[in-house]
Amino acid sequence: MGSIKALKCRECGKEYEPQFRYVCEECFGPLDVTYSAADGAKINRHTFESREKTYWRYFELLPVREKSNIVSLNAGLTPLQYADKLGERLGGMKDLYIKNDSVNPTFSFKDRPAGVAVSRAKETKLKAVGCASTGNLASATAAHAAKAGLPCYIFAPSDIEHAKIAQALSYGAEFVAVEGTYDDANRVASIIGDQKGYGIVNINMRPYYVEGSKTLAYEVAEQLGWQVPDRLIIPVGSGAMLNAICKGFEELHELGLVDSVKHLKIVAAQPHGCAPVVDAFKRNSDEVIPVERPETIAKSLAIGDPGDGLYVLKRLKQYGGLAEEVTDEEITDGIMMLAQTEGIFTEPAGGVSVGVLKKLVDEGRIGKDEKVVCYVTGNGLKATEAIIGLLPKLTAVKPDAEAVSAMIGARS
C-alpha cells in the first residue's frame, strides 16, 4: 500500500497505467486502483493521530500522488455516534453505532468520492468535471469543482424539479438538461466525457471516485480503536459504496492495522420498489434483474440497474451477509426513530439503513450483543417532503402566557 501503482481489472486481472481509463480493454470489466507496497510499510496505527481531521488523513491510501493537488472542503472524519438510545428502542442493543455522514460540507457521503475524483482530475490536468446525478453527487461534485476552479457540468433529465439541483447550481455548475430519463442523461454524459476529455466523476473517473468511499471503513476502524465491527448496515443504490467499504477493511488488514476481517458481516439495505440486489439475494441468483420504474421515497437509492450489483452479491457471500428491503412506511419510521432517539435527521437513504436494522433485530437475525455500525449517508434537510406529512400540525395561540400554558398542559 502507498502511492498509486496501477489500474487492475476486477474480472481478468489485467493491469494498466493509472491513466484516464475506466474499463478493461480485454473483457470490459471495471478497473480498481492498486497501490505500491513501499509506503505501506511505513504506516502504523499512530501514523494518522496528529493529522488533519478529514479523510485526507489517509493520503497514502488514496489515488492522488501530490498533496498540492488535493481539493479539500474538509469533509470526512464524521461522527461515529454511540447510539445507546436507539439501541434501547430496538430492544436492548448494547453496542450500536451510527456513522453520521449527514454532516459533511454538502451534507452527504458523496463529498468523499467526489472530492477524490475532482482532485485526481486536477492532478491529471483535465479541462472540466461533471457527473450524471439528480441530487447529492451533483452538489458534491459542483462544490469541489468550485474549490478547484474547474468548470462543472451536471447531466440530468430536463423535467427534474429545480429544487433538486438548486444546491449544485449555487456552486456555479452548468445544468445540461437532457430530454428523457436519467439513463439517457447518463449515456450523454458518458459520450461527452470521452469526446471532450472531461472527468465525469461517476463514469470515466469511476476507478478513482470509488476510492473516496472506502474511507468510511478507515474512519470506523480508527474511531473504534482499530477494531473491526461484527456487522455493517449499508444502504445500496449502485452498490459502489458497499464494495468500497469492504475493500477498505481488507486494505487495513493487509497493512496490519486491524486484525482479521473474517468475522465481519455485511447487510445490504434497499428500499422496496427498487431492490434488485435484495431480490437477487433472496432468489439465490447471480443475476440482478433491473427495475425499470423505481418507486420509492428513497430517491438517492432509486437506481434500477445497479452498476456494482453483482459485486455486492459477491461481497455478501464472502462476508456471510444479508440483504433486506423496507417499505416507504418503514423508511419514514426509521427516519423519525433516529431523529427522536439520537438527534440525527437523515434523508430516506438513512431511513432505509435504520429500517432494515430494526427489521432484522425484530426477526432475530441480528444479535443484540453484536457490535453494529449503521451508515447514515445524507441529511434529512435535503428531503423534508418524505416526512412532512408525519409531523404535528401547527396550531396558533394568542401571545398570552396563560393560554400557552394551558395549550402545553393539554398536550402533556
Side-chain angles (χ1 to χ4, degrees):
M1 298 294 293
S3 58
I4 183 171
K5 175 187 173 185
L7 295 177
K8 183 177 181 179
C9 178
R10 202 181 293 172
E11 291 294 330
C12 72
K14 182 177 174 63
E15 293 192 353
Y16 299 87
E17 285 294 312
Q19 297 170 337
F20 189 49
R21 66 168 70 242
Y22 56 103
V23 292
C24 177
E25 293 177 354
E26 299 292 328
C27 69
F28 303 105
L31 303 180
D32 289 325
V33 177
T34 61
Y35 299 84
S36 63
D39 293 341
K42 306 171 188 174
I43 295 173
N44 59 53
R45 292 180 177 182
H46 302 293
T47 300
F48 313 105
E49 287 176 354
S50 60
R51 291 190 177 179
E52 62 183 294
K53 307 295 185 185
T54 80
Y55 65 78
W56 288 108
R57 67 200 280 108
Y58 310 110
F59 172 75
E60 295 91 340
L61 313 179
L62 292 169
V64 176
R65 286 181 163 145
E66 300 294 335
K67 289 187 177 180
S68 60
N69 292 313
I70 290 175
V71 180
S72 177
L73 298 179
N74 296 312
L77 210 64
T78 54
L80 182 69
Q81 185 164 323
Y82 176 53
D84 55 332
K85 299 298 183 186
L86 179 59
E88 288 174 16
R89 182 75 68 87
L90 295 177
M93 293 191 72
K94 301 178 179 64
D95 216 0
L96 173 63
Y97 298 83
I98 300 294
K99 181 57 172 168
N100 182 13
D101 249 32
S102 70
V103 296
N104 274 314
T106 71
F107 309 109
S108 88
F109 88 98
K110 292 292 189 182
D111 282 330
R112 298 173 186 271
V116 171
V118 172
S119 298
R120 182 65 183 167
K122 178 184 176 183
E123 185 161 74
T124 52
K125 296 179 169 53
L126 299 185
K127 296 179 291 185
V129 295
C131 66
S133 171
T134 60
N136 290 335
L137 179 57
S139 298
T141 304
H144 284 86
K147 179 71 172 176
L150 287 171
C152 180
Y153 300 93
I154 305 301
F155 296 82
S158 58
D159 61 354
I160 188 174
E161 301 97 319
H162 205 261
K164 291 249 178 95
I165 55 165
Q167 185 185 1
L169 299 185
S170 75
Y171 301 122
E174 183 173 332
F175 179 34
V176 181
V178 179
E179 292 184 6
T181 65
Y182 174 78
D183 289 335
D184 293 323
N186 197 76
R187 178 176 49 81
V188 171
S190 178
I191 294 169
I192 295 298
D194 289 348
Q195 283 181 349
K196 294 185 174 292
Y198 293 171
I200 309 301
V201 298
N202 55 334
I203 302 177
N204 57 21
M205 297 290 292
R206 196 169 184 82
Y208 308 103
Y209 164 86
V210 297
E211 290 291 280
S213 295
K214 73 183 183 182
T215 59
L216 283 161
Y218 296 166
E219 290 178 20
V220 163
E222 185 177 2
Q223 289 168 320
L224 289 175
W226 300 107
Q227 293 181 353
V228 178
D230 296 315
R231 195 179 297 267
L232 307 176
I233 315 293
I234 305 173
V236 170
S238 72
M241 184 179 77
L242 185 147
N243 193 55
I245 289 172
C246 292
K247 183 174 188 271
F249 276 106
E250 289 166 357
E251 289 175 348
L252 293 179
H253 177 59
E254 289 170 19
L255 290 165
L257 297 178
V258 300
D259 295 331
S260 174
V261 295
K262 290 182 179 178
H263 72 274
L264 178 62
K265 292 182 171 60
I266 305 293
V267 175
Q270 290 196 295
H272 179 72
C274 190
V277 172
V278 176
D279 291 341
F281 178 83
K282 291 187 174 182
R283 286 187 282 105
N284 196 27
S285 171
D286 292 330
E287 182 185 9
V288 178
I289 300 173
V291 176
E292 290 187 12
R293 297 184 182 278
E295 293 184 14
T296 172
I297 60 170
K299 302 300 182 187
S300 63
L301 301 181
I303 299 176
D305 190 5
D308 274 17
L310 289 177
Y311 300 104
V312 170
L313 292 174
K314 289 180 180 180
R315 291 297 194 182
L316 295 180
K317 289 180 180 177
Q318 179 184 357
Y319 287 102
L322 296 170
E324 192 53 84
E325 63 184 83
V326 280
T327 64
D328 284 354
E329 183 179 358
E330 290 171 313
I331 293 169
T332 55
D333 285 349
I335 293 171
M336 299 296 283
M337 190 186 337
L338 182 63
Q340 292 172 9
T341 56
E342 297 300 329
I344 297 172
F345 183 32
T346 180
E347 67 176 8
V352 170
S353 298
V354 175
V356 165
L357 171 63
K358 181 181 186 302
K359 189 173 187 175
L360 294 178
V361 171
D362 288 349
E363 294 174 357
R365 291 194 279 168
I366 290 181
K368 292 177 181 176
D369 291 328
E370 291 186 38
K371 186 185 294 292
V372 177
V373 173
C374 187
Y375 284 93
V376 167
T377 50
N379 199 294
L381 292 175
K382 292 191 169 208
T384 54
E385 71 279 359
I387 52 94
I388 202 75
L390 303 177
L391 303 178
K393 300 294 184 288
L394 302 182
T395 303
V397 62
K398 293 184 183 300
D400 176 82
E402 288 188 13
V404 172
S405 179
M407 181 186 72
I408 292 172
R411 291 178 177 173
S412 58

